[in-house]
Amino acid sequence: MTLIVGLTGGIASGKSTISAYYQSLNLPVIDADLEARLAVQTGELAFEKIVGHFGSTILQNDGGINRKKLGEIVFANEEERKALNNIVHPEVRKRMGEKQKKAIEAGAKLLILDIPLLFENKLHEGCDKTILVYVEEEIQIKRLMKRNKLTLEEAVARIQAQMPLKEKCALADELIDNNGSIDDARMQAKSILQKWHVV
Ligand code: ADP
């Protein structure tokens, strides 16, 4: 039996920090953001469909997708954002599904799915357990401003565009309180898996 664990957070809550920690322990992690980047690489089906829909002006000199330009188009236009998601999401789900199948077939005890929009996209329904990396908004704003070099207003706008972390708390099986040090968060991350007898 493979325990499928959904790992999520909010922007700058520390999800990637915990995901990297789990990977450093050699635990199997499927990273949704990474799969999304791989899915739109030159020659992939989603790449062809994106060029078909948005035109070759979204390509950069090396033939790859100009992510900044594409981002500007879709963030300014809801219809285009939906169109892009309709192209990319099925491919990401397919890639993740294939990796998940392999891990299960290989008899893995544990598989961690690192997914930013786990609850928003109802992907927690495919998980046995969920873990949320949680921080107070004040700390979240400070870390986001520092990491992404944003002003206070920009950071607040990005946080407010998401489902409030407090709402996600109610949906998760376990919380990692990341208001303290990274070491403290790592210890919590490990003890959750120990409690579930998968490490
Ligand atoms: P997410 O993946 O949820 O967006 P990250 O893991 O990238 O968040 O963390 C956001 C930022 O905060 C990063 O720059 C990270 O290094 C930093 N960070 C994460 N946890 C802590 C912590 N406990 N103390 C200080 N900085 C932290």
Side-chain angles (χ1 to χ4, degrees):
M1 259 291 281
T2 307
L3 187 79
I4 310 285
V5 175
L7 173 69
T8 195
I11 186 167
S13 67
K15 179 190 61 64
S16 304
T17 301
I18 297 302
S19 178
Y21 169 64
Y22 283 145
Q23 289 176 60
S24 78
L25 298 177
N26 280 325
L27 297 173
V29 176
I30 302 177
D31 176 340
D33 278 346
L34 173 65
E35 297 304 327
R37 284 197 298 277
L38 294 175
V40 302
Q41 275 184 327
T42 314
E44 297 291 333
L45 181 62
F47 170 89
E48 304 294 348
K49 286 186 174 176
I50 289 169
V51 178
H53 181 88
F54 292 93
S56 51
T57 54
I58 54 101
L59 293 178
Q60 47 198 26
N61 288 340
D62 69 1
I65 287 171
N66 185 333
R67 297 175 66 89
K68 188 161 179 278
K69 194 162 178 189
L70 187 57
E72 282 163 8
I73 295 170
V74 301
F75 284 115
N77 183 325
E78 179 65 15
E79 282 302 307
E80 294 292 40
R81 194 180 66 82
K82 280 189 189 151
L84 179 64
N85 283 342
N86 286 339
I87 293 172
V88 177
H89 284 178
E91 291 308 302
V92 175
R93 272 198 297 274
K94 194 168 137 211
R95 293 182 78 97
M96 293 184 75
E98 281 163 6
K99 288 197 170 175
Q100 182 167 329
K101 190 164 164 258
K102 275 192 189 146
I104 291 169
E105 280 169 3
K109 251 169 112 173
L110 167 69
L111 178 63
I112 297 160
L113 306 181
D114 169 353
I115 305 182
L117 300 178
L118 182 77
F119 295 120
E120 291 88 335
N121 291 339
K122 303 205 186 311
L123 297 168
H124 62 294
E125 288 170 0
C127 298
D128 301 310
K129 294 281 187 189
T130 56
I131 301 176
L132 175 78
V133 186
Y134 174 79
V135 274
E136 295 292 339
E137 196 169 286
E138 212 175 300
I139 296 177
Q140 187 181 19
I141 292 169
K142 280 193 190 135
R143 289 183 186 158
L144 179 57
M145 285 172 69
K146 191 169 165 206
R147 186 190 66 187
N148 291 23
K149 300 189 175 50
L150 300 181
T151 64
L152 176 65
E153 290 70 27
E154 287 166 338
V156 168
R158 291 204 191 181
I159 289 168
Q160 286 181 350
Q162 296 194 328
M163 183 193 286
L165 263 180
K166 283 213 164 74
E167 249 172 63
K168 292 191 188 181
C169 284
L171 299 170
D173 292 308
E174 293 287 338
L175 301 183
I176 294 174
D177 176 342
N178 191 25
N179 291 302
S181 70
I182 291 183
D183 268 351
D184 184 40
R186 286 182 181 140
M187 267 171 9
Q188 298 173 59
K190 188 157 188 192
S191 61
I192 292 168
L193 299 186
Q194 283 167 336
K195 194 172 90 178
W196 292 337
H197 304 289
V198 284
V199 286

